[in-house]
C-alpha cells in the first residue's frame, strides 16, 4: 500500500508540476524573453540509487522549463538547465518536495 500511494502521489505531482511549469514557461517565452536569465543548477539526489536518479532526471526533463544535463554518480548530483535561473531556489525546493520524497519511498521498497 505504501508504494502504491507513493506512485500515485508522484504521478499527481508530476502532472501538477508539468501544468504549472508549462504556464510559467509560456509566460517567460511570451513576456520575459529579453530579461530572462537561464543557466545551470545542481541538486543532490541523496540516497536514491542510480536507476531511481535516472527516473528523477526523466521527470525533471519532462517538466517544461527544466532539463537534465548530467547525472554525476560520483558526487550524487544532478546537473540541470533551468530556463528561469532567478527562480532556482523555488524550482529545486519543488523538485525535492514533489518528486524526491516519493522516489525515496519507492527506492526503499525496491531495495
Amino acid at each position: 500500500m505504501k508504494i502504491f500511494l507513493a506512485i500515485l502521489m508522484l504521478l499527481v505531482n508530476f502532472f501538477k508540476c508539468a501544468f504549472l511549469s508549462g504556464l510559467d514557461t509560456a509566460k517567460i517565452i511570451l513576456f520575459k524573453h529579453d530579461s530572462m536569465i537561464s543557466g545551470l543548477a545542481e541538486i543532490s539526489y541523496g540516497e536514491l540509487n542510480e536507476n531511481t536518479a535516472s527516473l528523477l532526471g526523466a521527470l525533471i526533463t519532462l517538466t517544461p522549463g527544466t532539463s537534465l544535463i548530467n547525472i554525476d554518480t560520483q558526487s550524487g548530483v544532478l546537473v540541470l538547465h533551468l530556463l528561469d535561473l532567478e527562480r532556482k531556489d523555488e524550482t529545486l525546493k519543488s523538485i525535492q518536495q514533489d518528486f524526491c520524497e516519493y522516489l525515496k519511498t519507492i527506492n526503499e521498497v525496491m531495495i
Side-chain angles (χ1 to χ4, degrees):
M1 185 66 175
K2 186 176 181 181
I3 192 167
F4 175 75
L5 183 61
I7 291 170
L8 179 65
M9 289 306 299
L10 189 62
L11 288 172
V12 167
N13 286 340
F14 170 72
F15 288 115
K16 175 193 78 167
C17 289
F19 177 75
L20 295 176
S21 295
L23 292 178
D24 287 341
T25 300
K27 284 187 228 175
I28 290 169
I29 292 169
L30 294 173
F31 304 113
K32 278 181 67 174
H33 64 285
D34 291 335
S35 63
M36 181 182 62
I37 299 171
S38 62
L40 300 179
E42 292 184 346
I43 185 170
S44 171
Y45 62 82
E47 63 264 1
L48 298 178
N49 66 34
E50 291 179 16
N51 293 332
T52 311
S54 296
L55 177 58
L56 174 60
L59 291 169
I60 290 169
T61 299
L62 291 170
T63 304
T66 55
S67 298
L68 177 68
I69 302 298
N70 187 36
I71 300 175
D72 186 348
T73 57
Q74 297 295 328
S75 59
V77 169
L78 301 177
V79 180
L80 310 175
H81 179 268
L82 304 179
L83 188 59
D84 187 2
L85 200 56
E86 293 173 356
R87 296 181 57 194
K88 172 185 163 185
D89 292 336
E90 181 182 333
T91 301
L92 297 181
K93 183 179 177 183
S94 175
I95 291 169
Q96 287 288 345
Q97 289 177 344
D98 294 332
F99 299 144
C100 290
E101 293 304 314
Y102 298 106
L103 286 171
K104 286 178 189 173
T105 301
I106 294 167
N107 193 60
E108 288 172 9
V109 172
M110 292 175 66
I111 292 178

